[in-house]
Amino acid sequence: MLTGLILATPTTLALAIATALVTVSLAVGAASLVVFGGPFLSALVLRCVDILQVVPTMLLLLLIAALVSPGFMALFFLLVLTGWSDDVRVAAAVLRREALRENVQYARVMGAGWVYCWRWHLFAALRPLLGALMVQNIRQAALKSAGLAFLGLTDPRLLTWGSMMQSAMDQLYTDAWIWLLLPPAALLSLLLHTTLTLGDRRLRSGAVLGPAV
């Protein structure tokens, strides 16, 4: 069990962190197109977001996973594909608010492009939001990947906390379940609790969605 936890923990954390990093990057990129891309690009991105949010994400994940039994990379792409749209509207609202601040408007009047403003003004202002979105997406990716593995829908060779819990179900009616099921479940619960606490702390600070000055 200890060997399994040592081997499964890096895979589980790497999958959650990589998914969150790419998901947040795509969401912020799409939000930038919504705010700065003009009416056509803005409408196109928002319609794509609406379509993806109408589709039941977990049902789509279950269906595709049942068909292909994804490994690490396939599961990573599935989680990114079904998760990036959730944060676009929040990122666009904060980005639009920051773009109206005096320092950004002054830089624009002086001839600075949006790339310059992004690098020197908007990115620094968006750091609290990016941190909150990263924490939130790590929690969601870890929970979704563990759920799929627990249901036996991922590649059996992919060792994660979820697959360890799935393997322990055969021993549920024996005393062995205490040693086989509780350790990976405890680690997953600890990760979810930690990320939830960090996310709540950022939201309570008011730094992400505070009023514009």
Side-chain angles (χ1 to χ4, degrees):
M1 174 53 62
L2 179 59
T3 302
L5 291 176
I6 293 174
L7 295 175
T9 297
T11 303
T12 304
L13 295 179
L15 180 61
I17 294 173
T19 300
L21 183 62
V22 176
T23 299
V24 171
S25 299
L26 290 177
V28 174
S32 300
L33 292 179
V34 171
V35 177
F36 309 121
F40 176 76
L41 283 178
S42 177
L44 179 63
V45 172
L46 289 177
R47 295 297 79 76
C48 291
V49 170
D50 291 339
I51 292 173
L52 290 174
Q53 289 186 333
V54 168
V55 177
T57 302
M58 202 60 203
L59 181 61
L60 182 62
L61 280 174
L62 291 172
L63 178 61
I64 299 177
L67 293 175
V68 301
S69 296
F72 184 92
M73 291 304 300
L75 184 57
F76 164 73
F77 283 118
L78 282 177
L79 293 174
V80 170
L81 181 64
T82 57
W84 69 272
S85 61
D86 295 337
D87 302 320
V88 173
R89 293 187 181 277
V90 175
V94 177
L95 190 58
R96 186 176 289 111
R97 182 195 68 187
E98 297 298 331
L100 295 177
R101 292 188 183 274
E102 292 182 359
N103 58 333
V104 178
Q105 293 298 314
Y106 181 76
R108 291 288 293 164
V109 170
M110 297 300 294
W114 282 118
V115 175
Y116 176 89
C117 293
W118 240 111
R119 179 179 179 183
W120 297 106
H121 299 286
L122 297 177
F123 181 74
L126 285 176
R127 283 180 183 174
L129 173 65
L130 297 179
L133 293 181
M134 274 292 298
V135 171
Q136 172 182 302
N137 280 277
I138 288 174
R139 177 167 55 89
Q140 292 180 353
L143 186 59
K144 290 178 181 178
S145 61
L148 293 176
F150 180 74
L151 294 175
L153 299 179
T154 59
D155 191 333
R157 295 169 296 181
L158 181 63
L159 183 60
T160 61
W161 296 337
S163 64
M164 293 181 68
M165 289 188 290
Q166 196 273 336
S167 299
M169 295 304 293
D170 294 335
Q171 305 295 328
L172 190 60
Y173 299 102
T174 69
D175 294 337
W177 73 270
I178 298 177
W179 302 101
L180 298 177
L181 181 61
L182 289 186
L187 286 180
L188 179 61
S189 300
L190 179 62
L191 176 63
L192 297 178
H193 175 72
T194 301
T195 53
L196 182 62
T197 302
L198 291 175
D200 289 343
R201 189 172 300 171
R202 283 185 173 272
L203 290 177
R204 284 197 300 267
S205 69
V208 175
L209 298 176
V213 178

